[in-house]
Amino acid sequence: MAMPRALIAAHMKTFRLSALTLLALSASFATADDKDGKPYPIGYSDTPLIFPGSKWKVHDIDRPRPEAVKPGEKPGDAPADAIIIFDGKDVSKFAGKDGAECPWKVENGELVVNGGDIWTKDSFGTCQLHLEWKTDPNTAGNSQKKGNSGIFFMDRYETQILDCDNNPTYADGMAGGVYGQTPPLVNAVRPAGQWQTYDIVFTAAKVEGGKVTEPAYITTILNGIVVQSHTKILGPTHHKKDTNYDGEFPEKAPLRLQDHKNSIPDRMRNIWVRPL
Ligand code: MG
């Protein structure tokens, strides 16, 4: 059967577009090596400083290159330089209150939130965190009583964990929120019963002589969606109270994971940290 004229025209248009795209791509990826056989420079020493007083020139050949870090096999897997906090086997990296044994148990490679808050044995300041969590669709309660848990950076700034699917609550208490301060940019949760991923960059407050001179910041990605973008943290997390940076602050502190006593415990898995 003959191809209709309109279809032929559409094919021709697609072909022309593809040819143009290929031409444009080959031009943008062209290197000196492509045409004159000379290798492309791997740096320069005859360029201006990046800014006045900078240690480095633009494209400086002497500037040390960042070291390589081997990424995980699959998205979400820990890279080679991560500190594995929970890999599905045991709770050896955690302690309970005042250094007691970690009360949370491991089932099917998952960390079961139960028996009070837990703390990492290691302390962290500025860091990247990956953590996966799941609330149970059958847990009772509403608002802040439905699947509530949380990640407290430096034992004081909470990123909320909560079942926010069909569960109205105050905006600054939603998952992805800086609890009591800043709601998530959007509600990015999956329904209860599904695994949710947090990838968070936490920047610790600057501390001099125990006093905070610059606040902490947080960038939070929930299920691949940015919900906090370099958000200023106003001070430690409180319930029904405002906050500030008065008092003494450490430069590092343990991460705390919250047990908010849901009727059916939340679960977590694949937790790793990269101090930055
Ligand atoms: Mg919480």
Side-chain angles (χ1 to χ4, degrees):
M1 195 173 77
M3 196 180 274
R5 192 171 291 177
L7 199 55
I8 291 170
H11 275 287
M12 292 296 288
K13 198 173 172 189
T14 309
F15 174 76
R16 277 202 305 278
L17 273 178
S18 304
L20 282 173
T21 308
L22 275 175
L23 268 175
L25 278 175
S26 60
S28 61
F29 284 119
T31 65
D33 207 17
D34 293 329
K35 288 184 180 156
D36 58 16
K38 290 182 191 163
Y40 198 93
I42 61 164
Y44 296 83
S45 52
D46 59 352
T47 45
L49 292 176
I50 292 174
F51 58 87
S54 169
K55 199 172 169 185
W56 307 113
K57 296 170 182 165
V58 178
H59 316 315
D60 201 317
I61 193 165
D62 294 325
R63 192 171 192 174
R65 293 164 183 79
E67 67 179 75
V69 172
K70 189 172 186 295
E73 291 290 316
K74 302 187 300 297
D77 284 356
D81 67 347
I83 296 171
I84 311 292
I85 302 293
F86 178 69
D87 64 1
K89 296 193 181 91
D90 60 55
V91 293
S92 59
K93 296 290 173 68
F94 290 104
K97 194 170 173 54
D98 299 325
E101 196 178 324
C102 173
W104 296 13
K105 302 288 180 249
V106 180
E107 276 179 19
N108 304 321
E110 299 161 9
L111 191 54
V112 183
V113 180
N114 206 7
D117 291 359
I118 61 171
W119 288 258
T120 56
K121 290 176 180 172
D122 288 336
S123 288
F124 302 99
T126 297
C127 64
Q128 172 185 354
L129 172 81
H130 177 91
L131 180 149
E132 298 169 22
W133 55 277
K134 181 168 76 170
T135 63
D136 193 293
N138 299 310
T139 194
N142 74 307
S143 183
Q144 294 291 308
K145 280 195 158 181
K146 199 158 193 273
N148 195 335
S149 179
I151 305 159
F152 285 75
F153 289 89
M154 296 187 68
D155 195 23
R156 34 177 70 66
Y157 315 107
E158 184 182 13
T159 287
Q160 178 67 302
I161 287 176
L162 190 74
D163 178 355
C164 284
D165 180 52
N166 273 324
N167 178 37
T169 189
Y170 41 84
D172 63 26
M174 290 173 66
V178 181
Y179 185 82
Q181 301 179 23
T182 310
L185 290 166
V186 293
N187 184 2
V189 294
R190 297 188 169 112
Q194 296 186 22
W195 284 101
Q196 326 243 8
T197 61
Y198 265 141
D199 288 283
I200 301 175
V201 178
F202 168 77
T203 305
K206 286 214 168 66
V207 176
E208 283 173 26
K211 299 291 177 194
V212 169
T213 55
E214 278 182 44
Y217 288 87
I218 195 161
T219 294
T220 304
I221 300 175
L222 171 56
N223 297 325
I225 298 167
V226 174
V227 292
Q228 301 289 341
S229 176
H230 196 58
T231 302
K232 185 193 289 186
I233 299 178
L234 306 174
T237 298
H238 298 303
H239 179 52
K240 297 172 76 175
K241 282 197 328 193
D242 60 358
T243 187
N244 58 51
Y245 284 104
D246 289 352
E248 295 276 309
F249 280 75
E251 293 181 3
K252 288 181 180 181
L255 285 163
R256 170 159 49 112
L257 301 180
Q258 184 184 48
D259 174 14
H260 203 276
K261 313 285 182 194
N262 305 291
S263 64
I264 303 175
D266 289 356
R267 287 168 179 258
M268 298 181 182
R269 68 180 186 189
N270 191 20
I271 309 173
W272 49 264
V273 180
R274 295 182 62 245
L276 298 173

